[in-house]
Amino acid sequence: MRILLVYPLFPKTFWSYEKILELVNRKVLLPPLGLITVAAILPQSWEFKLVDRNVRSVTEDEWDWADVVIFSAMIVQKQDLIDQIGEAKRRGKLVAVGGPYPTSVPDVPQTAGADFLILDEGEITLPMFIAAVQRGDKQGVFRAGDGERPDVTTTPVPRFDLLEFDAYDSMSVQFSRGCPFQCEFCDIIVLYGRKPRTKTPEQLLKELDYLYELGWRRSVFMVDDNFIGNKRNVKLLLQALKIWQQEHQYPFSLNTEASVDLAQDQEMMDLMVECNFNAVFLGIETPDEESLAMTKKFQNTRGSLADAVEAITRTGLRVMAGFIIGFDGEQKGAGDRIVRFVEQTTIPTTTFAMLQALPNTALWHRLEREGRLRDGKDGNINQTTLINFTPTRPLADIAHEYVDAFWRIYEPVTYLNRVHRHFLILGAPKCKPPAKLPSLVDLRALAIVCWRQGFVRETRWIFWRHLWSILRNNPAVFEHYLAVCAHNEHFMEYRQIVKDEIEGQLQEFLANEPSQPPVEVDHPVEAMAQSV
Ligand code: SF4
């Protein structure tokens, strides 16, 4: 059986980082970990080819070669998923789809022509697909039982060998699935449940062994939605990983996503730094406590968020953070409060979006009951789309605050000032990878960044002043600092995209719905907080 695995295109998003990837001759930030895990679960007597459409297009020879084409997609890849299903069907291929988006909204790929829907987690539903294909079935829908979740300790090592390594900036591995928290807007807990399931340390180290054996020597992203969801097991992993990294002379720098309560566990943070983790993404969402309680993100209300960011930074983990605007009951000026918080805490890189109701989340169901959803489940959702429901304050106010805050956060001089302040307090790395000569590509990227930010742009004075200051005050983070300065190249372009897209959609929205009646909130924050 010849299986062609195809990963659809992403639109330009906050995470696409084209400008920075261009500088270092890469095409994409992260590989399609789900598809290479699917390839590892399917019978190894089958043949596989993988095309990441973010790297290149599928060739006619590859379409001809395939017996079955398998797609995996997230919601932002919806349009290309539909188009590529059409391409495969036009060539008479059997098509199977899976991944987060088809699992949440199976009727969209089905209507587009998919023959097999492999939904929920593949460890459970791929064996059903294999049996169906071996029986000669031409279609089928495979779902896990209600609440059924696989034991990920049996998940095989992903087929990293199918990837075109040179195209990616970072590799990805996954240690756990699921998160113990209950944020109302989150689809992770719908897809993977609230009981974090982890692999064994040995299993994860085997994945790293394989990457090492294949010659990978750059960064690795732990894609867990909340890396510290199961603290006990994560510490066991970190203890083993620390030894593995020492023995292999730190071939990988690591980063991940975690909940803010990481700051309360100094032992965990120290272990992470000792394993060569250098950055962590935190879902902060908003500094407004009422909004955090409204969205059931209670873990962010138990202490000072600013203190948490500082503790994590001082330990040696650069903080990236996510912010959202548009929560129910939100008061005017939320955008301003986010800008002030970001400046106060010096977080260099923040993903910032208007709240979206993802299909089948608790937020989606509540808004559906309240008759407030604006788009159906097949609406477009990403960082440059308007809120997809009727908010409790005028949508135009939220959109203006969003664009204004995004613009100010990524004003080039403001950004460099913030990066400088963050790196002055960033704890020094605790492990010493052997020194190596920079590659020609790295030197070229460095020259371009220095030329653009140090000579051409209005950043020229502070660029050199800050560079010198970091060299004098915190030289151990110098290389890391320069890499984050380079991100300015992306944000300068991306903030313009956000502005143009949101303002364009807002004009259209206002032309169709010039006056919005205020929405009455009949679920006060206090009542919701008490119910948990
Ligand atoms: S902490 Fe993150 S992963 Fe966990 S429920 Fe909240 S948003 Fe989802």
Side-chain angles (χ1 to χ4, degrees), residues 286-350:
T286 170
D288 293 350
E289 285 213 7
E290 297 78 14
S291 294
L292 290 168
M294 177 76 218
T295 198
K296 298 191 177 181
K297 197 145 193 151
F298 300 111
Q299 70 272 27
N300 283 16
T301 63
R302 291 185 191 132
S304 156
L305 287 170
D307 289 352
V309 172
E310 185 174 341
I312 295 170
T313 311
R314 286 194 184 280
T315 306
L317 296 163
R318 169 172 60 91
V319 171
M320 303 173 273
F323 291 91
I324 295 176
I325 190 167
F327 291 106
D328 275 7
E330 187 175 79
Q331 298 299 307
K332 205 171 163 48
D336 251 347
R337 292 190 290 279
I338 288 174
V339 176
R340 278 206 302 275
F341 182 85
V342 169
E343 280 296 305
Q344 179 204 349
T345 51
T346 75
I347 301 170
T349 317
T350 64

Side-chain angles (χ1 to χ4, degrees), residues 5 7 31-41 50 72 126 158 172:
L5 304 149
Y7 200 46
L33 182 63
L35 276 178
I36 56 174
T37 306
V38 166
I41 296 173
L50 183 144
S72 168
L126 280 166
S172 36

Side-chain angles (χ1 to χ4, degrees), residues 180-360:
F181 297 116
Q182 52 179 335
C183 310
E184 192 192 25
F185 56 82
C186 179
D187 61 341
I188 296 305
I189 44 181
V190 179
L191 291 165
Y192 304 116
R194 289 188 53 203
K195 186 163 181 266
R197 289 160 289 135
T198 68
K199 294 178 178 170
T200 63
E202 299 72 36
Q203 198 181 354
L204 203 276
L205 294 187
K206 262 196 198 145
E207 298 186 13
L208 298 184
D209 279 336
Y210 192 34
L211 280 173
Y212 187 84
E213 188 188 312
L214 291 169
W216 185 258
R217 294 292 184 276
R218 293 197 297 274
S219 71
V220 173
F221 187 60
M222 292 268 184
V223 298
D224 305 29
D225 298 290
N226 183 3
F227 181 60
I228 61 164
N230 182 328
K231 292 200 170 91
R232 179 187 161 273
N233 287 6
V234 170
K235 282 184 185 169
L236 291 176
L237 168 72
L238 291 172
Q239 277 146 9
L241 179 57
K242 184 175 151 184
I243 298 168
W244 189 95
Q245 285 272 58
Q246 272 165 357
E247 286 175 354
H248 292 78
Q249 299 191 308
Y250 304 98
F252 307 138
S253 60
L254 301 158
N255 40 64
T256 192
E257 304 177 321
S259 45
V260 172
D261 54 325
L262 172 65
Q264 267 106 57
D265 195 333
Q266 191 62 48
E267 183 196 0
M268 178 84 79
M269 292 191 287
D270 287 339
L271 271 170
M272 287 174 72
V273 175
E274 284 159 11
C275 288
N276 209 20
F277 276 82
N278 61 21
V280 64
F281 180 91
L282 306 175
I284 290 178
E285 323 308 1
T286 170
D288 293 350
E289 285 213 7
E290 297 78 14
S291 294
L292 290 168
M294 177 76 218
T295 198
K296 298 191 177 181
K297 197 145 193 151
F298 300 111
Q299 70 272 27
N300 283 16
T301 63
R302 291 185 191 132
S304 156
L305 287 170
D307 289 352
V309 172
E310 185 174 341
I312 295 170
T313 311
R314 286 194 184 280
T315 306
L317 296 163
R318 169 172 60 91
V319 171
M320 303 173 273
F323 291 91
I324 295 176
I325 190 167
F327 291 106
D328 275 7
E330 187 175 79
Q331 298 299 307
K332 205 171 163 48
D336 251 347
R337 292 190 290 279
I338 288 174
V339 176
R340 278 206 302 275
F341 182 85
V342 169
E343 280 296 305
Q344 179 204 349
T345 51
T346 75
I347 301 170
T349 317
T350 64
T351 63
F352 185 22
M354 297 174 92
L355 182 61
Q356 304 287 351
L358 295 174
N360 298 328

